[in-house]
Amino acid sequence: MTSFIGFIVAIIVLSVLSGVVQGNKKKRKRSTGKRHTTVKKSNTQITSTTFNRSSITCRADDVLLKTPLDQINGAEFERLLSLYFRDQGYIVKEVGIGGKDGGVDLVIVDKRGEKTAVQAKCYADHNKVQVMTIRELVGAKRNHDCILSLLVTTSDLTADAKREAEQFKVDYWHGGLVENKLRAWGKWQPAKTKVKQRKVASTTVKTVTVICGCGAPMVERKNKDGKAFWGCSDYPSCRKTKAM
C-alpha cells in the first residue's frame, strides 16, 4: 500500500515538473518572437522664407506704421486697419486673426452703436477681389450682428464683384483710396523707396570757326555739283574759298 502511494506521488511530481519546463519553453518562444521596432524621428528644420502676403505673422505696430502696403502681409494689413479705425473713434474687435475669419476680419462699432463687418484683402495689384468674397462677407456679417459691411483691399475688385457689392450695399475701398486715407491719418508714414536715377552723360558739340585770309569768318557753301566748301562771308567783296 505504501509503495502504491509513493508511485502515485512520483507520477504527480513528474507531471508538475514537465508542465513547468513546457511553460518556460513557451515563454522563451514568445519572447524571441517579438520584434523590436525603432521609430526614427526626423528633425524638421524651419528655414526663413522671403516675404509673402499669406503669412499669419505680424510685426510690431511701430514697424507697420513705417512699412509700405506692398511690403505687409494679410495679418499685418488687418492690424494696420484696426489701428486706423481706433483712431477714428471706433471700437474695434479683431475676429480674423490667424486666417480663420469666416468672411469677417474686423467688427467696428461707431459712436451710435452701429456695427460694421470689415473684410480686409491684402492683394498684389494684379490680383483682384473676386465676387465670392463679397458673397461671403454678406453672409458672414449676420453672424456678427452687423448692419453694415465694408471690404478694404490693397488692389481692386473685379467688375462682377463691384456689381455684387452695389447690389447688396457693400461699401468697398480700393488700393488708391486706402492709401489716401492712411496718409491723411498721419500716423502711417511709410519709408520712401529710393529711385535709382540714371546719369546722362553730357555731350558738348564743338563748333569749328574758319577764318578767311581777309580776317572775316568763312561759311559753308556749295558749288553747282552740290559739293561743300568754305567761302568768305564778305562775298562778293572777298571771293576767297577753302576746301572742307
Side-chain angles (χ1 to χ4, degrees), residues 56-67:
I56 60 175
T57 59
C58 187
R59 287 169 285 184
D61 294 348
D62 57 342
V63 177
L64 294 181
L65 294 175
K66 298 178 182 179
T67 307

Side-chain angles (χ1 to χ4, degrees), residues 12-242:
I12 293 172
V13 172
L14 291 173
S15 62
V16 171
L17 292 174
S18 63
V20 172
V21 173
Q22 290 179 357
N24 291 333
K25 289 182 179 180
K26 289 181 180 180
K27 288 181 180 180
R28 290 177 181 177
K29 289 181 179 179
R30 288 177 183 176
S31 62
T32 54
K34 292 181 180 180
R35 294 181 179 177
H36 299 281
T37 57
T38 57
V39 179
K40 293 183 179 179
K41 295 182 180 180
S42 59
N43 296 324
T44 57
Q45 296 181 350
I46 300 174
T47 57
S48 59
T49 57
T50 56
F51 166 77
N52 69 83
R53 293 185 182 272
S54 61
S55 175
I56 60 175
T57 59
C58 187
R59 287 169 285 184
D61 294 348
D62 57 342
V63 177
L64 294 181
L65 294 175
K66 298 178 182 179
T67 307
L69 293 179
D70 59 352
Q71 295 295 323
I72 64 177
N73 57 42
E76 292 172 339
F77 185 49
E78 296 169 18
R79 179 60 183 169
L80 183 62
L81 290 178
S82 68
L83 296 175
Y84 168 79
F85 284 120
R86 283 195 178 95
D87 272 11
Q88 305 307 311
Y90 290 91
I91 298 173
V92 181
K93 182 180 179 182
E94 300 178 41
V95 298
I97 297 176
K100 299 178 181 179
D101 50 37
V104 176
D105 293 310
L106 306 174
V107 174
I108 58 177
V109 186
D110 62 11
K111 296 178 181 178
R112 295 174 297 179
E114 289 185 349
K115 299 171 69 176
T116 302
V118 180
Q119 173 66 286
K121 290 297 181 184
C122 187
Y123 287 163
D125 294 336
H126 65 276
N127 189 8
K128 295 185 178 182
V129 177
Q130 302 296 320
V131 65
M132 186 57 65
T133 302
I134 302 296
R135 294 172 182 172
E136 290 176 355
L137 177 57
V138 172
K141 76 174 184 178
R142 303 190 187 98
N143 299 331
H144 298 276
D145 298 326
C146 295
I147 300 174
L148 305 174
S149 54
L150 171 65
L151 186 133
V152 185
T153 177
T154 54
S155 60
D156 204 348
L157 283 71
T158 63
D160 292 338
K162 289 181 179 180
R163 284 192 292 267
E164 195 85 3
E166 293 173 358
Q167 180 181 352
F168 291 97
K169 298 180 179 179
V170 176
D171 195 11
Y172 60 87
W173 298 352
H174 57 77
L177 181 59
V178 173
E179 188 165 346
N180 289 338
K181 286 181 176 292
L182 292 177
R183 288 188 182 278
W185 173 30
K187 289 188 177 181
W188 183 66
Q189 298 177 347
K192 294 181 180 180
T193 55
K194 296 181 180 180
V195 179
K196 293 182 179 180
Q197 296 180 349
R198 294 181 179 178
K199 293 182 179 180
V200 180
S202 59
T203 55
T204 56
V205 179
K206 294 181 180 180
T207 57
V208 179
T209 303
V210 180
I211 304 300
C212 181
C214 66
M218 303 190 79
V219 296
E220 183 180 349
R221 300 183 186 279
K222 290 183 180 181
N223 58 18
K224 295 180 180 179
D225 297 331
K227 189 175 180 180
F229 65 94
W230 294 111
C232 185
S233 59
D234 283 343
Y235 179 86
S237 299
C238 179
R239 296 178 176 271
K240 292 181 180 180
T241 62
K242 188 179 290 186

